[in-house]
Each structure stands twice: as structure tokens, then as C-alpha cells.
Amino acid sequence: MIQDMHQSIEIIYLILSPFFKLFRHKKKKTCAFHPHRRYNLSSAFSLPSPPLPRWCSVPPSHTTGNSKKWRNFCAFLPATMATDFWTSTHYKQLLDQEDVDVVHSLDKERGITLEDFKLIKLHMTNYIVRLAQNVKVRQRVVATAVTYMRRAYTRRSMVEYDPRLVAPTCLYLASKAEESTVQARLLVFYIKKLYADEKYRYEIKEILEMEMKILEALNYYLVVFHPYRALSQLLQDAGMSDATQMIWGLINDTYKMDLILIYPPHLIALACIYVASMFKDKDNTSWFEQLRVDMNMVEKIATEILDFYDYHKTISEEKVNAAMLKLTMRM
């Protein structure tokens, strides 16, 4: 019953989100990433400790023996991030790597391998980014769209759900979920402008039909938490403000992988800070230790990011085209 209630709330929110801005009273901006949310530090520490995720060491109690750095880390987050992630549908939908790296039987029949699967998802991520740049939406919308696309393909095959239609549909859906609605006809206009290939040229009706299929594939769970939230405060505390552009770029690149489906967003953000610290030759060991996070997991994520950059050097347009050719024509 609770699961059904969550689904109903998220569907209602999606439908009504374009109208919220019309009725929202003006408020003082208190968060660079989420102007509509306010900091509420007292509530962040008056609630029970969140359930322990399998990726983290036990955080200090909210009532006794708090580490100053841990308190600072939590204080950098809006109260909604500090408390809601652990009870959110995003947290409940996190997967193990082996559950993400699954090529569906219909795709296997077309000769699509795991490497092809990853290449197509990467290509569609770049497609979403390119399309988003033209319709001019925030990076958060792009990140949410990519998350929807990658999550959908853990449950549906690419043969059934053509990526060339799924990608713009996820951007359309994410724009509504993130209250930055883009009209479907505008997406269709830029798709036709950017791609001469007829395989990419879908119409408004097809996007709207696919939207309902994507919602079903996502089980109507639309809430996505991202590593961008409170990043500037974390960088300031770590003494890494001079590396803001580099770390922001690193986080953007993590969406070319499946990290957002596997790890909590705050660990991804910390892993990007860790990578930047290595490039800057800055020792932040004591800062990470005082945060009381699982450094083994942070280092594991950082290694995956660095491995991706090595892998990316080997990707050629011919490989991508060969993978895309294995897909069927329009369904």
C-alpha cells in the first residue's frame, strides 16, 4: 500500500509540476542548486539516524559523540537531502553492478554484447546532452534524463525500446519532473535539425506514447538525487574551491557511466573530489577521515572513473556505429 501511495504521489507531482511555478510565492534563494528548498539544520539532527547503506561506515549518532566534520558535511546539505535520500525511492532503487550489466535476451538475439550495450547507452547520453544544449535546460534536467534512460534499460530491452526514441523522451519527462518543462514539438524540431538520419526522426505522438512506457518501466519512481547538491560547500570545506570547474566536469562525466544507479550521490561527489585532489596533488586524507565515510568505497568509485577515461580513449565512431546497426529499424 505504501509503495502504491509513493507511485501515486509521484504521478500526481509529474502532472501538476508545470503549474506549481504559477502559484508558488516568491522566497529568498537559500540554495544555489535548489532555490525552492531551504536549509533546516535543526531538523537534520533531530531525526533518527538514517538506515545504514551497504556502502558506508556507521555515521556518528545524531545525539552523542558527533564528529565536527560529519556535522559540517551534513550541514552542507539541505534538510531534504540529509534525511530524505535514505527513505527515497532513489535509495530503494539502487542496484548492484551485476544487475546493471544485464543484456536482455531480445538484445542478445540481435548480437548485442555487453560492450555494445554500454556503447549505446554512452551514445544516447551524448545525444541527450546535445539535445539539451539546444533546448537550453539546466544540467540537473540532463542528469535526471540520463538516469531515467539508464534505469529503464535495466528493465527493458533496446529492441523493444529504441534508444533513439527513449533518449529524447527521457529528456522530455525529466524536464517536467524537474519543473523546467520543454515542449515535445521543440524537441522534435531540434531532432530534425541535428540529425539527418531518418532513424532518429520521431514525431510528437511517438514521444508522448513512449513517455507512458518509460513511466511504466520506471515503476513511476521519478525522484532522483544528484551529486551536484551542496557541492560548492563541500569544496570550500575541503579547500578545493579552485578545482570547482574540474570537479563539476568530473561529476558530469559520471553520467556517462552507470554510477548513479549503483552508489549514493554523496559518495559519487566525494569520489570526484578525491580524483581532483590527486590531480592537484593535495592531501585531503584527514578531511575524508573526519567525514567518517567508507574510503574503500570512495576509492573504488574514483578508480571506476579513472578506468572510464582510459576506456573512453579506445572508443571510435566505427565501434558506436557498429553497435547501433545491431538495433532494429523502427518498431
Side-chain angles (χ1 to χ4, degrees):
M1 181 178 293
I2 294 176
Q3 179 175 335
D4 292 340
M5 182 179 68
H6 279 302
Q7 291 180 348
S8 299
I9 290 172
E10 292 183 17
I11 295 170
I12 293 170
Y13 180 81
L14 176 68
I15 296 171
L16 297 181
S17 62
F19 302 99
F20 286 167
K21 291 184 179 179
L22 298 177
F23 300 100
R24 182 181 294 130
H25 296 292
K26 291 184 178 180
K27 295 181 180 180
K28 182 179 179 182
K29 184 182 290 188
T30 54
C31 176
F33 298 102
H34 294 275
H36 60 288
R37 290 183 174 138
R38 290 179 172 274
Y39 289 95
N40 185 353
L41 304 186
S42 60
S43 67
F45 295 103
S46 61
L47 295 174
S49 299
L52 178 65
R54 62 179 181 271
W55 309 270
C56 301
S57 57
V58 180
S61 167
H62 285 313
T63 56
T64 59
N66 276 327
S67 160
K68 180 180 178 182
K69 287 290 185 179
W70 176 262
R71 288 180 63 88
N72 287 344
F73 174 64
C74 290
F76 289 149
L77 307 176
T80 50
M81 175 64 171
T83 58
D84 287 354
F85 173 74
W86 306 112
T87 57
S88 71
T89 54
H90 183 160
Y91 171 66
K92 294 172 184 176
Q93 295 286 305
L94 289 178
L95 301 168
D96 293 323
Q97 185 71 58
E98 55 267 28
D99 296 322
V100 173
D101 291 339
V102 174
V103 180
H104 298 279
S105 57
L106 286 176
D107 295 334
K108 288 180 179 178
E109 290 174 6
R110 300 285 176 175
I112 295 175
T113 64
L114 180 57
E115 183 179 2
D116 294 330
F117 187 51
K118 292 181 178 180
L119 281 174
I120 293 170
K121 288 191 291 184
L122 174 59
H123 181 55
M124 289 302 112
T125 298
N126 293 333
Y127 178 18
I128 290 172
V129 170
R130 188 179 180 191
L131 195 54
Q133 289 171 344
N134 282 271
V135 298
K136 302 186 186 309
V137 294
R138 297 175 298 158
Q139 176 60 30
R140 181 180 175 86
V141 177
V142 177
T144 298
V146 172
T147 303
Y148 288 169
M149 181 268 293
R150 291 181 175 274
R151 189 179 288 170
Y153 282 126
T154 64
R155 298 162 181 164
R156 299 292 188 271
S157 74
M158 291 183 171
V159 170
E160 293 176 297
Y161 287 41
D162 188 341
R164 289 161 292 209
L165 176 57
V166 168
T169 303
C170 285
L171 183 59
Y172 176 65
L173 179 59
S175 74
K176 293 199 288 185
E178 298 293 348
E179 302 180 35
S180 298
T181 306
V182 175
Q183 294 184 349
R185 61 183 177 83
L186 187 62
L187 288 172
V188 170
F189 170 80
Y190 279 109
I191 289 170
K192 293 178 179 179
K193 184 177 180 180
L194 293 172
Y195 292 93
D197 189 342
E198 287 293 328
K199 296 186 184 70
Y200 287 85
R201 295 195 166 199
Y202 285 96
E203 299 299 332
I204 295 174
K205 179 182 177 182
E206 293 167 302
I207 289 177
L208 297 180
E209 289 174 351
M210 179 55 72
E211 180 187 19
M212 300 310 298
K213 294 180 180 179
I214 294 297
L215 281 168
E216 184 180 354
L218 296 175
N219 289 332
Y220 303 95
Y221 292 141
L222 303 174
V223 173
V224 180
F225 287 76
H226 295 291
Y228 303 106
R229 191 178 294 187
L231 181 62
S232 60
Q233 292 91 334
L234 284 173
L235 294 178
Q236 183 177 356
D237 187 55
M240 295 287 292
S241 295
D242 60 329
T244 299
Q245 186 174 357
M246 175 191 292
I247 295 170
W248 188 276
L250 285 169
I251 292 178
N252 288 349
D253 286 344
T254 64
Y255 288 89
K256 297 178 180 179
M257 299 168 268
D258 292 309
L259 298 182
I260 195 65
L261 304 184
I262 302 169
Y263 304 106
H266 73 277
L267 289 185
I268 297 174
L270 291 175
C272 290
I273 294 174
Y274 183 82
V275 171
S277 297
M278 291 191 293
F279 277 107
K280 292 283 186 178
D281 198 23
K282 180 177 176 62
D283 185 5
N284 275 327
T285 303
S286 60
W287 181 74
F288 279 107
E289 287 176 350
Q290 292 180 70
L291 286 181
R292 295 287 299 276
V293 296
D294 185 343
M295 280 308 298
N296 289 329
M297 190 55 60
V298 171
E299 291 172 0
K300 179 182 178 183
I301 298 170
T303 300
E304 289 187 40
I305 294 170
L306 294 174
D307 288 345
F308 170 77
Y309 285 125
D310 288 336
Y311 166 71
H312 196 268
K313 296 175 184 176
T314 68
I315 298 174
S316 63
E317 188 175 350
E318 289 75 18
K319 284 185 178 181
V320 174
N321 291 337
M324 292 297 295
L325 283 174
K326 294 179 182 181
L327 293 173
T328 62
M329 300 295 287
R330 290 192 185 188
M331 299 298 292

